[in-house]
Amino acid sequence: MDTSSHREVRSLEPTRALAENVSALKQALTHVGPALGCGPTSSKSVKSEISLLVATSGSTGAPKEIGITSAALLASARASNKLLKATKGQTWSLLLPLTHIAGINVLVRSIELGTDPIDLRNHGGTYPDADFTAIVPTQLFNALNDDTNLLDHLKSAKAVLVGGAALSEELRSQAIASGINIITTYGMTETCGGCIYNGEALDGVSFELTENQRIKISGPVLADVLTEDGWYLTQDIGTIVDGKLKVIGRADDVIISGGENISLSAIESELNKQFPQLLVAAFATSDSKWGQVLHVAVQTQD
């Protein structure tokens, strides 16, 4: 293999001091340092234009690695900050793990604003204020039900992005009534995270529906993925109401619970291995806290 057009991949260590990871990310974005591996990546090198390699689960539940360029990461961060009217000197707080693209996006947005992200991943006690933050619905549920310190932090922010899983209308309404400026986001690792805010595409991004209502996305935020005429076909189905995208659900068997992908078929396969005497069927139901909750129906074979 010709390695001249490739660059080294080094794992981003979530337990390292956040300042060290931000420094490594800056070097990756400017191609001064190696590309960063986010999550359980195994590749030792990537194409030279790739700055971030993210491990994620595909439609079959099998892990895969998504390569993302500096151009896509910066386009995503700039479009997000632009929509939020974020200005130089304003701050983001980090409440998401760095094993997911959503956590990395917080760092890139902070870099673009010239500020250090406020690390609240393992924070206890009173949370310091930040102008913006991003969370999953499970964290929002916890804030509204028992974590008053987190609730105060979210209320003080100018905007709170909520994505990674379905946000129920009940939880959204409860958050708004509590004084949180909620912005629901839709996207995936292949689109460099959230690229549709409150049903509307970020600057430079477009979305359409296929004949069978599959959502497809185009724009500068796309990762190094297969496209057709510039469009990435997602595994989600949706509808468009008054020009805004409403996501209905997944076209495949992967559910999202608490921001994590869970393959129903993989669950069934593993249970069948462990308990061959049982007939099992995995399914999901909507849940205010987790977005979707996994259930398993069990029947003993005669």
Side-chain angles (χ1 to χ4, degrees):
M1 179 180 66
D2 178 12
T3 58
S4 62
S5 60
H6 283 65
R7 64 193 297 201
E8 178 190 1
V9 176
R10 290 185 185 173
S11 295
L12 185 149
E13 301 295 340
T15 57
R16 282 197 309 184
L18 186 60
E20 293 182 40
N21 281 327
V22 171
S23 177
L25 180 59
K26 287 180 179 178
Q27 293 180 34
L29 290 171
T30 56
H31 291 258
V32 173
L36 292 181
C38 178
T41 56
S42 59
S43 297
K44 302 302 181 183
S45 68
V46 290
K47 292 185 293 185
S48 58
E49 63 267 26
I50 300 300
S51 293
L52 184 72
L53 192 65
V54 183
T56 185
S57 56
S59 61
T60 63
K64 60 179 179 178
E65 297 177 348
I66 305 297
I68 306 177
T69 65
S70 296
L73 286 164
L74 292 172
S76 173
R78 290 166 182 167
S80 179
N81 281 334
K82 179 180 178 180
L83 183 138
L84 297 173
K85 296 182 172 57
T87 58
K88 293 287 186 180
Q90 291 187 318
T91 56
W92 280 85
S93 69
L94 178 64
L95 287 160
L96 297 169
L98 295 180
T99 51
H100 293 283
I101 185 61
I104 299 296
N105 279 338
V106 169
L107 305 192
V108 183
R109 294 176 195 134
S110 296
I111 291 171
E112 282 295 293
L113 296 181
T115 54
D116 296 324
I118 302 170
D119 192 359
L120 301 180
R121 289 172 296 170
N122 299 299
H123 191 77
T126 304
Y127 289 73
D129 289 347
D131 294 295
F132 308 99
T133 194
I135 58 175
V136 297
T138 304
Q139 291 170 302
L140 180 60
F141 180 95
N142 291 338
L144 292 170
N145 286 275
D146 54 31
D147 193 339
T148 56
N149 289 324
L150 178 56
L151 177 61
D152 290 340
H153 178 72
L154 299 181
K155 290 168 64 174
S156 69
K158 299 179 186 301
V160 176
L161 306 184
V162 183
L167 176 64
S168 69
E169 186 57 40
E170 175 188 3
L171 193 59
R172 180 178 178 275
S173 297
Q174 186 181 354
I176 293 173
S178 297
I180 303 173
N181 181 23
I182 291 291
I183 296 179
T184 58
T185 70
Y186 168 72
M188 58 223 56
T189 305
E190 290 87 346
T191 63
C192 210
C195 62
I196 297 173
Y197 285 17
N198 285 342
E200 298 183 312
L202 290 181
D203 190 34
V205 176
S206 299
F207 62 83
E208 290 183 0
L209 300 182
T210 65
E211 290 183 357
N212 59 356
Q213 293 187 288
R214 287 269 294 277
I215 301 168
K216 59 180 185 177
I217 296 172
S218 68
V221 300
L222 290 185
D224 183 32
V225 292
L226 291 175
T227 61
E228 184 175 345
D229 296 327
W231 291 93
Y232 172 70
L233 182 63
T234 76
Q235 292 294 329
D236 299 312
I237 57 175
T239 184
I240 297 176
V241 180
D242 297 328
K244 294 185 177 183
L245 177 67
K246 181 178 180 181
V247 181
I248 298 173
R250 306 274 298 187
D252 55 29
D253 79 331
V254 174
I255 68 169
I256 304 177
S257 183
E260 298 290 338
N261 288 358
I262 300 174
S263 168
L264 298 182
S265 61
I267 293 294
E268 291 175 353
S269 177
E270 187 61 31
L271 288 174
N272 284 329
K273 292 178 183 177
Q274 298 295 324
F275 307 100
Q277 74 278 16
L278 301 178
L279 294 172
V280 299
F283 63 99
T285 59
S286 299
D287 183 84
S288 294
K289 179 176 182 179
W290 299 104
Q292 291 177 295
V293 172
L294 172 69
H295 297 274
V296 177
V298 179
Q299 179 180 340
T300 302
Q301 298 190 58
D302 294 332

